[in-house]
Amino acid sequence: ALSPGSQLLKGYRGGHVVIRFALGGCTNRPFFRIVAAHSRRARDGKYLEQLGCLDPLPNAHGERVAGLNLERLRHWLGCGAQLSRPAEKLLGLAGFLPLHPMTVTGAERLRRRRRAQEAALAPADGSDGPGDAP
Amino acid sequence: MAALGAWGSAAAPARLSRVVRALWGWRARRGLGQDAGAADEGKAAKPSFDDETVQNLLYKMTGLNLQKVFRPVKKELKPPKYKLMTEAQLEEATRKAIEEAKEKLIMPPVLKEREPIDDILAEDKFLEGTETTKYVFTDITYSIPHRERFIVVREPSGVLRKATWEERDRMIQIFFPKEGRRVIPPVVFKDEHLGTVFRQDRHEDILNMCIAQFEPDSPDYIRVHHRTYDDIEKNGKYDLLRSTRHFGGMVWYLVNRKKTDGILIDMIQRDLLDDATSLITLYHMLHPECQSAKAAKEGKLQGVDLIKVFVKTESQKEGYIQLALQAYEEAMATSTAS
């Protein structure tokens, strides 16, 4: 609901509200804020409301901490906000939304790749084994 | 200290279970369904910590030493303020001081240890192996009470479970920090370091820190409190906690475990006969099947006779208590004679 005409407010043509991650932090130390913003805004620019945060690096107890303001999330989703794919995946992991299909697909692809790698290593080991010089 | 601030804002005349219920919300009862049944049965069978009568007895025993309650707490240095007052104003000021002292002496609740949370919300086996560390999701909606907040953990094995109590406390402290509470509990609360604290006679400080750091139904809170009470009882340092808000809890602990001899001797030696009689009344309320309780009920004994009956039947250190009583009676006789 930004009204063009004022020099301070930026007016857009089209665009919609999205709930996405805004990156912050320093070099080699990312920190995401889960944010409801206009889709045409810069990724780290002015947002409508902060709905939570995510620390992608594990802490001293080996956990990645995420906070989600579910009440305001429900409000913005009710207002017709869209979600970015990483936001959807995170909410699927949290249990707020059903699991994203790409999470499942990603898990299957990873498993297939790992199995292929193990299969590639096994005959390679078999051929290298007796050929190892002492 | 901040915990005191929160309680100080409660309604002035309330110092009993009403305030305690309002502040702690008895969410322990609402949140953990199985606790409610157990607490009700406990009340019907034997008196619990927050009955009116029990609280009255414990409050009388706590004493009201204004000098100790308002002893200087280490704050920033300010020059002292002097006021010139008439007699009436001085009385008014003393009365207000007594009101504030009563608020400072509100006893922290004594609850049973909480049951560990063990609830799985979803199992997604095909997520196994995608992540290496777990995710902890906290609901940071401002208007929900902390006991009803959703805190879930997604393990690397794909299981979505509710967080354990320790994880819950840590996350709530991260997102809604409370003054005086650290995210990771300080090392001083471990058993090997509590001994050093007790040697320095700082039982009251460690108990205040414990109240600020832990929830009253957490096992750490209960463990630290029990260790403190045991140490006090072993060394007879009952006066350290007298006129503080921890005295009631200590007496409740000792009476439940029938270790009342030391504190009885201490009370008689300090000429606090009323406190001794209230202690024995509390003992009879909690253990109505013992001999001295029945004797007291039949004979409707009061004062020194009650103590004598109690000493004959229930105490281990009979000799010491008899000696103390004799010394007290001699002192009374000489003072009345002179």
Side-chain angles (χ1 to χ4, degrees), chain B residues 81-97:
Chain B
K81 284 190 255 190
Y82 296 100
K83 286 192 197 162
L84 190 61
M85 293 200 263
T86 62
E87 277 286 337
Q89 281 173 336
L90 183 63
E91 274 171 29
E92 174 75 21
T94 330
R95 200 181 50 79
K96 262 202 274 196

Side-chain angles (χ1 to χ4, degrees), chain B residues 264-277 303-305 307-308 320-337:
Chain B
L264 200 56
I265 297 173
D266 186 74
M267 280 176 179
I268 298 174
Q269 280 172 348
R270 284 174 208 274
D271 294 339
L272 299 164
L273 258 290
D274 304 324
D275 287 354
T277 37
V304 187
D305 305 313
I307 307 180
K308 289 199 178 129
Y320 290 106
I321 309 187
Q322 302 277 13
L323 272 174
L325 268 175
Q326 267 179 5
Y328 173 75
E329 273 161 5
E330 278 164 23
M332 289 293 291
T334 46
S335 68
T336 46

Side-chain angles (χ1 to χ4, degrees), chain B residues 226-266:
Chain B
H226 287 190
R227 291 264 188 288
T228 320
Y229 297 151
D230 284 332
D231 182 84
I232 291 183
E233 202 252 326
K234 201 171 66 169
N235 301 344
K237 301 179 188 166
Y238 304 102
D239 204 42
L240 281 173
L241 290 194
R242 196 166 269 135
S243 206
T244 60
R245 58 190 173 148
H246 311 291
F247 195 75
M250 179 177 77
V251 170
W252 179 259
Y253 174 79
L254 295 172
V255 172
N256 268 320
R257 280 153 186 78
K258 299 197 180 184
K259 291 186 190 160
T260 45
D261 300 322
I263 195 168
L264 200 56
I265 297 173
D266 186 74

Side-chain angles (χ1 to χ4, degrees), chain A residues 51-54 58-59 61-71 90 92-95 99 103-104 106-107 110-111 114, chain B residues 124-143 150 152 154 160 167 170-171 174-175 184:
Chain A
L51 305 172
C53 57
L54 164 68
N59 67 5
H61 299 264
E63 40 194 47
R64 275 174 279 190
V65 173
L68 305 160
N69 193 339
L70 294 179
E71 198 228 311
L90 188 75
L93 279 183
L99 258 199
T103 326
V104 181
L110 191 68
R111 215 168 293 138
R114 279 206 193 125
Chain B
D124 300 308
K125 280 289 166 236
F126 40 78
L127 286 180
E128 184 132 12
T130 44
E131 320 272 347
T132 42
T133 42
K134 46 186 167 161
Y135 274 103
V136 179
F137 297 101
T138 321
D139 181 10
I140 39 182
T141 314
Y142 194 66
S143 55
F150 276 112
V152 294
R154 174 76 77 169
L160 184 68
E167 287 168 352
R170 250 190 306 126
M171 290 299 130
I174 289 177
F175 287 109
I184 301 177

